[in-house]
Amino acid sequence: ERAVPPEPATPDFEAADAFVWHLNPERLEGVEKVNRVEIGLLHGIDRMRDQLVENTERFAKGYAANNVLLWGARGMGKSSLVKASHATVNAMLAKNGVDHRLKLIEIHREDIESLPRLMAHLKESRHRFIVFCDDLSFDGGDTSYKSLKAVLEGGIEGRPANVLFYATSNRRHLMP
């Protein structure tokens, strides 16, 4: 069993709207209640809010959309904005009778190297996914950014069409 571990279980994307990516064992764990605030409670970031909700909605409807990096000082509501826009778009989809909801998947910064394996789990699904990394940055000798670069800019496979990458950072420059 140690030499050839069992294949990871196929995630049940119907179980939740949000998941956390874990390693050892490799799995997507559903989140019953996402820690978020209502989008109407976020003030002073109207332009960013509107752009992010519009981008997220376009993606959820199958139109062209962009990966997102929100950067700024600690406590400015970057991660709250990502989680609130996800909830807002899912509420709009439900109101319009759309049965596939947008899924939010959190990947921890230290697990970025496993991003290609996560993409393999997501690419065959009928759902659309936002992979979210909060507080993304890289140290001088850190090479894990290469996995992110390959997914965003495209190695041979590139990023699946049903996946967008959203990240927040307290640093304007992700690398020194």
Side-chain angles (χ1 to χ4, degrees):
E1 288 180 354
R2 283 184 280 173
V4 182
E7 268 197 44
T10 304
D12 178 11
F13 293 122
E14 303 302 326
D17 284 340
F19 298 84
V20 176
W21 173 245
H22 292 284
L23 297 177
N24 300 329
E26 197 172 277
R27 71 194 187 287
L28 282 163
E29 184 176 322
V31 177
E32 258 184 65
K33 185 174 182 340
V34 176
N35 179 25
R36 67 172 130 230
V37 297
E38 293 297 318
I39 203 156
L41 297 175
L42 300 172
H43 295 283
I45 53 173
D46 299 348
R47 187 173 60 86
M48 258 192 301
R49 178 200 62 215
D50 294 346
Q51 287 177 339
L52 188 64
V53 169
E54 179 184 352
N55 190 65
T56 305
E57 185 178 5
R58 288 182 55 78
F59 175 66
K61 291 179 176 179
Y63 299 120
N66 294 305
N67 296 300
V68 173
L69 171 64
L70 297 173
W71 68 272
R74 168 184 268 165
M76 292 187 68
K78 299 175 297 289
S79 59
S80 295
L81 184 56
V82 170
K83 294 181 284 186
S85 67
H86 168 254
T88 300
V89 169
N90 268 348
M92 282 190 261
L93 293 174
K95 183 179 175 182
N96 294 330
V98 177
D99 65 341
H100 328 314
R101 295 168 62 99
L102 183 63
K103 305 298 178 176
L104 182 67
I105 297 179
E106 181 178 33
I107 184 169
H108 299 288
R109 189 241 141 316
E110 56 274 3
D111 297 333
I112 286 292
E113 286 183 358
S114 70
L115 200 51
R117 294 198 313 269
L118 173 58
M119 295 298 137
H121 288 286
L122 305 180
K123 70 181 176 183
E124 299 301 323
S125 177
R126 68 183 180 102
H127 294 286
R128 300 183 78 68
F129 300 94
I130 293 175
V131 175
F132 171 53
C133 184
D134 193 22
D135 200 20
L136 182 64
S137 65
F138 301 98
D139 296 324
D142 191 351
T143 60
S144 63
Y145 72 91
K146 292 179 181 180
S147 295
L148 176 59
K149 184 177 184 276
V151 168
L152 294 178
E153 293 181 359
I156 287 179
E157 279 190 296
R159 177 179 49 86
N162 65 336
V163 177
L164 272 187
F165 190 79
Y166 283 13
T168 65
S169 181
N170 295 338
R171 295 183 188 177
R172 182 174 180 194
H173 301 287
L174 295 180
M175 298 181 70

